[in-house]
Amino acid sequence: MASFDNKEQCDSCGEYQHERSMTFEQNQALCFSCHDEREEEGAESFMARLAANGYQVIHTGGGCTAFQKTFGHCDVMITQDASHDINEDYMADLGLVVGVYADDLEGQHLFFINPTHTNWDMIYGAVLQAENVAKSLDAISAVQKIEA
């Protein structure tokens, strides 16, 4: 909603700002301060969601870390850089690596995505897809062992 002096109202804090100081996405008008806070909450809540679903921070060697969860003989790993945090500011340049790594392939990944956007629900959906790939690979391996 615009005020009498052609400013837009922030849907989060209620302050009036010039349009050039606002972001408009998902039917919301947000001032830059509120938008930045939401972006930080997005990465924070994404990491909390990973932790709540059994992902642990591990050291992968050379100072790098990843969020990791094991499904049989496969690991799903999510990482961005050497830090154990996912930083919103690095998404455009680095993105986020989501991969499935089977124990018997020695570091080769079988499912790999690198989103550079900050739609955290969509990224978590990709994590769930990676989990399904890991579960499927583990089931195939179990069947192969039975047949052998």
Side-chain angles (χ1 to χ4, degrees), residues 92-109:
D93 294 329
L94 298 176
L96 195 66
V97 176
V98 179
V100 176
Y101 302 85
D103 291 343
D104 55 350
L105 294 180
E106 299 178 12
Q108 299 280 336
H109 58 269

Side-chain angles (χ1 to χ4, degrees), residues 91-138:
M91 287 301 288
D93 294 329
L94 298 176
L96 195 66
V97 176
V98 179
V100 176
Y101 302 85
D103 291 343
D104 55 350
L105 294 180
E106 299 178 12
Q108 299 280 336
H109 58 269
L110 298 171
F111 179 83
F112 177 82
I113 63 167
N114 187 9
T116 57
H117 57 77
T118 55
N119 183 330
W120 297 108
D121 288 332
M122 187 181 290
I123 294 171
Y124 194 76
V127 171
L128 295 178
Q129 288 176 342
E131 288 181 3
N132 286 334
V133 169
K135 291 173 188 175
S136 297
L137 290 171
D138 189 53

Side-chain angles (χ1 to χ4, degrees), residues 37-96:
E37 286 176 19
R38 283 228 176 129
E39 291 294 317
E40 289 173 13
E41 289 173 5
E44 295 283 329
S45 66
F46 178 75
M47 290 185 291
R49 197 171 180 185
L50 291 174
N53 286 298
Y55 283 84
Q56 298 178 349
V57 174
I58 63 162
H59 296 280
T60 60
C64 294
T65 61
F67 289 87
Q68 179 262 349
K69 186 175 180 181
T70 300
F71 296 90
H73 78 288
C74 292
D75 292 328
V76 174
M77 289 195 257
I78 300 105
T79 189
Q80 188 175 57
D81 65 358
S83 171
H84 64 277
D85 289 327
I86 295 169
N87 190 325
E88 196 84 35
D89 295 335
Y90 300 152
M91 287 301 288
D93 294 329
L94 298 176
L96 195 66

Side-chain angles (χ1 to χ4, degrees), residues 13-26:
C13 69
E15 288 186 21
Y16 286 92
Q17 304 282 337
H18 287 282
E19 188 175 304
R20 66 181 176 272
S21 299
M22 305 285 287
T23 59
F24 302 92
E25 55 188 42
Q26 299 176 357

